[in-house]
Structure formats: structure tokens, C-alpha cells
Amino acid sequence: MGGPTQEMEPVEPQSLKKLSLKSLKRSLDLFSPVHGQFAAPDPESKKVRMSHKINVEYSGIKTAPAQPSRQVNSGAENQSSVPSNVLALTGPADSRNSLKEGTQNALVVGPALQSKGQNDVGKSGKSTAITSASAPFSERLTTSAIIERIPSKWPRPVWHRPWKNYRVISGHLGWVRSVAFDPSNNWFCTGSADRTIKIWDVASGRLKLTLTGHIEQIRGLAVSSKHTYMFSAGDDKQVKCWDLEQNKVIRSYHGHLSGVYCLALHPTIDILLTGGRDSVCRVWDIRTKMQIFALSGHDNTVCSVFTRPTDPQVVTGSHDSTIKFWDLRYGKTMSTLTHHKKSVRAMAPHPKEHSFASASADNIKKFSLPKGEFLHNMLSQQKTIINTMAVNEDGVMATGGDNGSLWFWDWRSGHNFQQAQTIVQPGSLDSEAGIYALSYDVTGTRLVSCEADKTIKMWKEDETATEQTHPLNFKPPKDIRRF
């Protein structure tokens, strides 16, 4: 017990590489017949090792042995200059002699061809191969050199003119959060964080009217096509109906427990839909101010909504990253789409087709209606929070990002054909480049963007652009994600 303690020798830390080398050396010492010499290279193991890099065992190619009678450079150089990867064919001798001078990799296709079990790879380590078209597909090895090229089934995008900013309207004193066009296409209205709604002339961009009444920022606007009414919703939990003949509020819809983030009018029935931070989409009777339904089921803020004349008549997107289809007869969920991973802040139905697109920070996805089958992702990622999107009848979709990026897409193919960046007005910070709302006019030829630098910008197609000045730079996608 009390004897002197013997110290342990320190163990030298050894890397995995060093240990494996030691193990290899030990194996060699144990099994090598001739010590002091390396084992002879095994051709079979070499063939296995090299097969992932290159495979010269194509049907229809034979490796020519390096003999003086079959030199490629006819007498110009000595025998040693012929590389080992000269490939010849098993056809007549005259075609072999017809190889041009200075050829490094001679490759010909013959009628009676057979594969050879050798793997002679030259200094470059690569060689290309051609197979006879008559050989069956099972004999042709599917490598990138000889694979059958199948044309892409992806639809080729339609060429669209690029869009340009032609007018900047400044008049609001806060972030511009919402926009809506009058069905006659003479004016449009914008709602702002300065608590006002302003009405602007489309042709000249001049201010026609300012409406006050909200006590917080205005997040949603809609103009009725059947009545002289405009509807607004804001962070003050209020939903208001404005009579545009008297320019005053004639109805208020009470019931939201928190801020109202989105608003939509049904195209055929006199009902109004609003979604907000209380995770509920409320359905209101316009005339009686009564709440018909509270469509509850989302776990977080309802931040986007649109309506259609046929089922599903109500579609909502939420911060819980789901999209829900609602049955308006019973006030129940028809189906839930869980494809997105982040908040679905924006949705846009196509004006003609039975489909819609939804945008979140991870991707822009396209779905069919009425079933809600996933069609495809858009082919690029904007890599920002997408606050808003709009589609016109020509199939041009615009998406506005939190970083001021305005991207234009071809609807059918999902190809991103233009990436514009908004420029903040003088006196604003660069961080105020953010797009909160987008809307096309009734014709689809003008686009209005509402921005964080307190401006409204109007965009139109560049009439001078042609397919030659702005060519379509499209590569069909190789690996399509089916979810």
C-alpha cells in the first residue's frame, strides 16, 4: 500500500491517419511474401477503384496495343510517343490508317464491335465515348458521355418586356401599407401608417382626396365594384365602410380582438372578409354589419386572404405557415395546405386560370384550384420576406420583398425574368427600401408599389425592349422538388 507509485508512461496521441498507416504496415509485414518490396498492383482492384471516375468498357470500343505497325503519328515520332489510351476499332485496316496526324484520343465506331476487359486510362484520366445508335439501351452504359438526352418537359417561358419605374408619388407621412384600384380604373387609394387614406388620379398621379378616421396604420383596402363603397381595415381593430359619394364612414364592423391585417370583398355576394392578429378570418354582412362567421382554425395571425365566386370561396394564409380553404356555407375548413415552412404573408389568384400562388420567405409556390394540388415552386428564391404579390392577365407575376426587391416572374414556367431594386427617395435610409403592397390596375399594364420610404411608385413595361436587347436567359430546372 505504502510502496513507491510507478509512473505510467505518457501515451502519444495518434491521428487516425497514422493509426491506419501502422495497421497497413503490420498487415504488409504479416502477409507479404517478399519483405522490403511493395506488393504488386492488383489489376482487378484498380478496375474497381477507377470505375467511379471513368469506364472505358463501352460497347463498341477496343483498346489498341502500342505496336510499331499501329502508330498514329506515321513515322514522325518514335514508338514511345504513342499514348496508351489510343482507342481503335475492330473494323478494316484502311479506316484505322485514316486517323489524322497528332490525334491524341482516336475514337471510331465500327460495325462488329466488342467490349474489352481492360481499363487503359491515359495521362489525362478522361476519354469520351460514342456508341453506335443501333446498340440496345441495356448495352449502353448510362454515363454522362453517352446518355440519351431527353428534351426537358418544363414549359419554356413566354418572353415579357422588362418593367421600369416611371413615376414616384410622395405625399404620405408614414409607411404606405395598402393599395386598391377603382373598378373604373380612374383612381386608386392607398392606406398608410400616417393613419390616412389618400385617393390618387391614375393618369396624372395627382392627389384627389385625403380621408381621416383611423387611429392606427391602415393595413387593408378594397373598393366595391357594385356599390360606391370603399372598405378599410387597420391596426386599430376597426373595419370601416366609406361612402365615396359623401366621403365619410357610414358603417363600422366591430368584432376583431386585435389588429386587422388583410381584407377582401367577395366578387358576387355582399360580404366582406377580414383577417387579423386574433388568428381568425371574420365574414361580415356588408349591409347589416353583422358577423356571419368567424373562420377559426389558424394558430397564428391571418395575414393574407382572397375570395372567389366558386368553392373554395375563401382562401387564407397565416403566420402559422399554412393555407386554409374554407367552406362558406358551414364556416368550416375544407382543406389545409402545409407546404410552406414560413409565414404565408402574400397570396395572389390568377385572374383567368384556376390557380393561385402563395409566397413565404422559403419559396413561392403555385397551387391549382379548386383542389389545392401543388403544381411547382418558382424557379428562383428571392431570399427575403415577401410582403406582397400580384398577377396580371398576361401571366406576369410581381413579388415585393422586405429589402426593396421587386421581382417579375413568368406565371406558366415560374421563370424569374427581371430582378428590380427600388431606390429610396432622397432623405430616407437605405434600410427603408421595403415594398409592402403591390397592385396592377384593371388593364394589367400599370403596377403600383407602396413602400417603406413613404412613397408610391408606378411601373410600366419598357416599350423599347425587344427579344434581342433583353434575351430570355432560361435554363430548364434539372431537379424539381415535388413538395
Side-chain angles (χ1 to χ4, degrees), residues 350-415:
H350 192 280
K352 285 182 176 173
E353 290 179 19
H354 293 294
S355 56
F356 75 97
S358 60
S360 80
D362 58 358
N363 239 322
I364 301 168
K365 297 178 186 291
K366 208 164 97 181
F367 298 92
S368 71
L369 287 167
K371 293 232 177 356
E373 289 138 342
F374 173 69
L375 297 173
H376 63 87
N377 287 326
M378 293 295 156
L379 300 183
S380 310
Q381 283 181 305
Q382 204 160 338
K383 293 201 164 51
T384 182
I385 293 167
I386 296 169
N387 291 316
T388 175
M389 63 199 306
V391 192
N392 69 6
E393 289 188 358
D394 295 333
V396 177
M397 182 172 73
T399 55
D402 224 28
N403 59 358
S405 59
L406 178 60
W407 285 24
F408 293 91
W409 312 77
D410 174 56
W411 176 266
R412 186 160 157 266
S413 66
H415 170 62

Side-chain angles (χ1 to χ4, degrees), residues 124-180:
S124 64
K126 291 178 184 172
S127 67
T128 48
I130 304 164
T131 55
S132 60
S134 60
F137 186 72
S138 58
E139 285 179 24
R140 286 186 257 158
L141 298 174
T142 54
T143 63
S144 61
I146 59 164
I147 195 165
E148 231 175 0
R149 290 285 174 201
I150 302 161
S152 174
K153 299 245 182 357
W154 199 260
R156 185 161 177 79
V158 182
W159 181 81
H160 300 283
R161 284 192 168 89
W163 290 65
K164 63 177 184 180
N165 177 219
Y166 73 97
R167 181 182 289 150
V168 179
I169 303 168
S170 56
H172 278 294
L173 303 174
W175 291 351
V176 190
R177 297 302 304 244
S178 51
V179 60

Side-chain angles (χ1 to χ4, degrees), residues 101-302:
E101 287 185 19
T103 307
Q104 287 291 321
N105 292 344
L107 189 69
V108 206
V109 179
L113 302 176
Q114 57 187 15
S115 62
K116 196 82 170 172
Q118 288 164 328
N119 203 351
D120 290 339
V121 181
K123 291 169 192 170
S124 64
K126 291 178 184 172
S127 67
T128 48
I130 304 164
T131 55
S132 60
S134 60
F137 186 72
S138 58
E139 285 179 24
R140 286 186 257 158
L141 298 174
T142 54
T143 63
S144 61
I146 59 164
I147 195 165
E148 231 175 0
R149 290 285 174 201
I150 302 161
S152 174
K153 299 245 182 357
W154 199 260
R156 185 161 177 79
V158 182
W159 181 81
H160 300 283
R161 284 192 168 89
W163 290 65
K164 63 177 184 180
N165 177 219
Y166 73 97
R167 181 182 289 150
V168 179
I169 303 168
S170 56
H172 278 294
L173 303 174
W175 291 351
V176 190
R177 297 302 304 244
S178 51
V179 60
F181 269 87
D182 157 47
S184 70
N185 212 32
N186 292 322
W187 53 267
F188 67 93
C189 52
T190 54
S192 165
D194 63 8
R195 308 184 297 281
T196 64
I197 299 166
K198 289 184 186 286
I199 292 175
W200 311 86
D201 184 59
V202 172
S204 64
R206 289 197 179 91
L207 179 66
K208 294 175 78 143
L209 184 68
T210 301
L211 299 170
T212 58
H214 277 281
I215 54 171
E216 269 291 343
Q217 59 182 336
I218 294 142
R219 293 279 200 128
L221 282 172
V223 183
S224 172
S225 56
K226 291 186 286 185
H227 313 100
T228 57
Y229 296 157
M230 179 178 71
F231 299 87
S232 63
D235 280 353
D236 51 9
K237 311 178 196 174
Q238 295 181 33
V239 181
K240 294 178 185 288
C241 173
W242 304 77
D243 187 337
L244 295 171
E245 287 178 336
Q246 306 170 55
N247 294 336
K248 65 178 189 183
V249 178
I250 54 166
R251 297 187 189 96
S252 286
Y253 304 89
H254 296 286
H256 273 286
L257 307 175
S258 194
V260 189
Y261 278 21
C262 55
L263 177 145
L265 275 171
H266 197 284
T268 53
I269 318 168
D270 285 344
I271 58 171
L272 173 71
L273 297 117
T274 54
R277 272 185 57 191
D278 52 7
S279 312
V280 174
C281 178
R282 297 183 191 271
V283 184
W284 309 92
D285 185 321
I286 288 173
R287 196 171 52 84
T288 63
K289 303 181 284 186
M290 287 291 291
Q291 180 181 298
I292 304 166
F293 287 123
L295 305 176
S296 57
H298 283 295
D299 299 332
N300 211 324
T301 305
V302 178

Side-chain angles (χ1 to χ4, degrees), residues 313-448:
Q313 294 180 51
V314 183
V315 180
T316 56
S318 165
H319 282 340
D320 65 9
S321 79
T322 65
I323 298 164
K324 284 186 184 287
F325 291 1
W326 301 90
D327 189 328
L328 207 50
R329 289 171 300 177
Y330 308 113
K332 298 275 195 301
T333 307
M334 288 171 76
S335 60
T336 305
L337 308 180
T338 57
H339 296 71
H340 282 288
K341 297 181 183 70
K342 301 280 173 71
S343 308
V344 185
R345 289 171 184 261
M347 293 190 301
H350 192 280
K352 285 182 176 173
E353 290 179 19
H354 293 294
S355 56
F356 75 97
S358 60
S360 80
D362 58 358
N363 239 322
I364 301 168
K365 297 178 186 291
K366 208 164 97 181
F367 298 92
S368 71
L369 287 167
K371 293 232 177 356
E373 289 138 342
F374 173 69
L375 297 173
H376 63 87
N377 287 326
M378 293 295 156
L379 300 183
S380 310
Q381 283 181 305
Q382 204 160 338
K383 293 201 164 51
T384 182
I385 293 167
I386 296 169
N387 291 316
T388 175
M389 63 199 306
V391 192
N392 69 6
E393 289 188 358
D394 295 333
V396 177
M397 182 172 73
T399 55
D402 224 28
N403 59 358
S405 59
L406 178 60
W407 285 24
F408 293 91
W409 312 77
D410 174 56
W411 176 266
R412 186 160 157 266
S413 66
H415 170 62
N416 170 227
F417 69 88
Q418 187 188 356
Q419 299 180 3
Q421 179 67 33
T422 187
I423 301 163
V424 294
Q425 70 168 339
S428 298
L429 302 169
D430 286 339
S431 58
E432 286 184 307
I435 299 172
Y436 289 125
L438 286 172
S439 179
Y440 283 103
D441 71 349
V442 176
T443 63
T445 56
R446 298 284 183 276
L447 178 69
V448 170

